[in-house]
Amino acid sequence: MYQFEQSMLNAIGKRLMKNGSTIAVAESVTSGLLQWALASATDAMKFYQGGITTYNIAQKFHHLRVEPIAAESCHAVSTKVAAEMAIGAIRLFGSQWGIGITGFATPVPESGGKRYAFYAIAYQGRILSSRQLKPRATITEEVQLAYANAVLADLRRLLHSRK
């Protein structure tokens, strides 16, 4: 079973509500874990707009306006794709904050046999944080959880740095 630090989720929610902000998520590699985590925070309906999980380039283009030719060249796993997903989530759900994450939780030929992900966090259409994640875990579920926790920790940092 996936575990998230409830105090971290509640701190994120409180800061978003204090600022009168909302958030939305666009994810692929984490398969809805970020959506689940944010929805489980206290008073989530007051700040969480929703999320979307898109696994292929066609759906990333259709729902999030990810540029398909660039996405095709990297199997839709890059900093640029994560940023387009974050901004697409803002647009799709009408929120101020957006998270986009894409990557590989299992080693596949397209990833060169490696696990890694890229995420981006946007505020009002501007990327505030964008990073690559390389997990230590090797079990798929643990990799996905590590990705989600890293993104949530960075979101909390960003929210607390914006007084």
Side-chain angles (χ1 to χ4, degrees), residues 34-91:
L34 289 168
Q35 296 169 64
W36 183 57
L38 289 169
S40 70
T42 301
D43 293 323
M45 290 193 62
K46 295 180 180 176
F47 66 87
Y48 178 53
Q49 294 283 40
I52 186 168
T53 302
T54 56
Y55 259 29
N56 62 53
I57 293 169
Q59 296 306 317
K60 285 175 175 68
F61 168 73
H62 178 72
H63 297 288
L64 302 167
R65 299 186 189 163
V66 169
E67 201 286 306
I69 294 173
E72 183 69 35
S73 71
C74 62
H75 306 287
V77 179
S78 71
T79 302
K80 182 180 187 307
V81 171
E84 290 175 343
M85 290 173 70
I87 291 169
I90 288 172
R91 185 177 45 252

